[in-house]
Amino acid sequence: DVKVTQSSRYLVKRTGEKVFLECVQDMDHENMFWYRQDPGLGLRLIYFSYDVKMKEKGDIPEGYSVSREKKERFSLILESASTNQTSMYLCASTSGGAFYNEQFFGPGTRLTVL
Amino acid sequence: TQLLEQSPQFLSIQEGENLTVYCNSSSVFSSLQWYRQEPGEGPVLLVTVVTGGEVKKLKRLTFQFGDARKDSSLHITAAQPGDTGLYLCAGQDQGGKLIFGQGTELSVKP
């Protein structure tokens, strides 16, 4: 059974803290993605990676960074958390090759920044 | 920036009713996917449509991709409470990234 796991389901942090969100997939997928999901806005792409140590900015990268040291792990970093980063964060992975491959999502991390 | 407008945003119906969710854009997409998300879980892929005019059926769900590949619809026949959830359309742009619609929150009451 394919799986994408995220380190925390719920997280509460204070303004200014450094926050790490971890994502691990066991499908040997090349591509990994970080999205945030807000009511009425759908999913918005923050960063993605097509290979180890490779990263590309998505549509809303400001205030975030990422790290991909191993193929199976993709981390999202909030350098200095702010209240407007309170959101649901979803990680996804997909195999390379076909242009319209299915994205497999983790269960999400609901982050609250106070 | 390519945008996908999804409507309606909220839908509350009785069991047995039919419904249609629309996904529209002014841009052409290489393919379009429909996902369903249940509370506390990530989205799960229902279907991918690739060819303009394509129609796919998944039991009581019918998906259609517009001829010009700018719009899509999801029709559910005889909705059941188990269909309750958030439905998301996502178009794949020329670079391969997914552009998501805002989502449709469906509630089917027994």
Side-chain angles (χ1 to χ4, degrees):
Chain A
D1 196 20
V2 296
K3 208 169 235 187
V4 178
T5 56
Q6 295 183 228
S7 50
S8 305
R9 296 297 292 264
Y10 300 92
L11 210 51
V12 180
K13 295 291 182 182
R14 295 212 172 269
T15 301
E17 282 192 78
K18 191 169 186 176
V19 182
F20 293 87
L21 303 183
E22 302 283 336
C23 174
V24 178
Q25 51 94 3
D26 64 359
M27 296 166 279
D28 201 35
H29 283 168
E30 293 83 359
N31 311 312
M32 296 187 74
F33 306 82
W34 274 107
Y35 295 90
R36 64 177 282 175
Q37 183 175 27
D38 300 288
L41 295 178
L43 275 67
R44 292 179 291 166
L45 182 63
I46 304 171
Y47 268 97
F48 60 102
S49 169
Y50 286 150
D51 202 352
V52 175
K53 295 195 185 294
M54 177 271 179
K55 59 186 178 184
E56 292 282 346
K57 291 180 180 180
D59 298 317
I60 51 164
E62 296 78 18
Y64 304 94
S65 62
V66 290
S67 173
R68 192 163 182 206
E69 295 296 319
K70 293 185 177 182
K71 189 176 185 180
E72 67 270 18
R73 188 179 297 269
F74 193 33
S75 302
L76 180 69
I77 303 152
L78 286 65
E79 296 289 341
S80 177
S82 63
T83 54
N84 63 13
Q85 292 179 309
T86 290
S87 186
M88 169 69 86
Y89 289 88
L90 289 164
C91 173
S93 72
T94 185
S95 61
F99 203 50
Y100 44 84
N101 284 340
E102 173 180 3
Q103 291 201 6
F104 292 88
F105 285 85
T109 296
R110 186 165 292 282
L111 172 67
T112 301
V113 183
L114 301 175
Chain B
T1 304
Q2 291 177 286
L3 292 174
L4 265 176
E5 296 290 332
Q6 199 171 332
S7 62
Q9 286 198 38
F10 300 96
L11 199 50
S12 181
I13 60 172
Q14 294 296 128
E15 183 175 0
E17 290 184 25
N18 300 332
L19 67 113
T20 303
V21 177
Y22 298 93
C23 190
N24 295 298
S25 175
S26 58
S27 305
V28 175
F29 290 100
S30 305
S31 66
L32 197 131
Q33 299 179 335
W34 284 92
Y35 288 82
R36 180 166 161 249
Q37 185 178 18
E38 297 190 35
E41 302 296 330
V44 175
L45 181 70
L46 295 173
V47 77
T48 301
V49 285
V50 180
T51 307
E54 184 176 0
V55 176
K56 281 192 173 178
K57 292 195 175 186
L58 189 66
K59 296 183 182 177
R60 294 175 293 99
L61 278 60
T62 302
F63 304 86
Q64 185 161 5
F65 201 12
D67 291 340
R69 291 185 291 133
K70 293 182 179 181
D71 55 85
S72 182
S73 63
L74 157 60
H75 182 79
I76 301 180
T77 303
Q80 298 177 1
D83 295 327
T84 293
L86 178 68
Y87 290 82
L88 294 156
C89 63
Q92 194 143 24
D93 70 11
Q94 299 303 317
K97 292 185 297 180
L98 285 183
I99 310 295
F100 282 84
Q102 305 98 314
T104 294
E105 192 79 55
L106 172 64
S107 173
V108 182
K109 301 187 188 317

